[in-house]
Amino acid sequence: MKKLFDKLNYKRQCWLAVGIVTFCFILAGITGWAIAPNVGWVLAGLLSIVHPLVPESAKWRYAGDEKRMARDSRIAGAVVIAVGLITKFGV
């Protein structure tokens, strides 16, 4: 599992999150499970919490402070999870 996270950069992680959410929306459309998109949002948020990354172009704002970068990425992941928990998507 550690090797998988070593290969993830910000761009790949964003595409993985978009893929997870898209897959869950398609799954909801096929099966009629209204909860599937919410699960996709929660999984995408958890990905950001478990493996916090920021784009290379934004690292200058943090002046190399890895703790602040990880904290802000985890906050963004928590916001995505909150969207998944409080939003109801109609299928």
Side-chain angles (χ1 to χ4, degrees):
M1 192 72 159
K2 182 73 171 163
K3 282 193 154 216
L4 174 69
F5 285 139
D6 288 341
K7 294 182 180 181
L8 277 179
N9 59 14
Y10 183 77
K11 184 176 180 179
R12 287 181 185 159
Q13 184 167 330
C14 285
W15 280 112
L16 180 61
V18 167
I20 290 171
V21 172
T22 303
F23 172 75
C24 288
F25 270 103
I26 292 171
L27 183 67
I30 292 172
T31 63
W33 296 336
I35 193 85
N38 298 79
V39 171
W41 282 98
V42 169
L43 290 175
L46 281 174
L47 181 64
S48 184
I49 289 175
V50 170
H51 189 62
L53 293 172
V54 295
E56 290 291 326
S57 60
K59 286 188 176 181
W60 65 271
R61 294 181 187 169
Y62 293 98
D65 190 359
E66 296 288 331
K67 282 186 170 184
R68 282 185 50 217
M69 287 189 272
R71 181 200 63 201
D72 290 351
S73 181
R74 286 187 173 117
I75 289 171
V79 169
V80 172
I81 290 174
V83 167
L85 292 177
I86 65 173
T87 306
K88 181 179 180 193
F89 297 99
V91 179

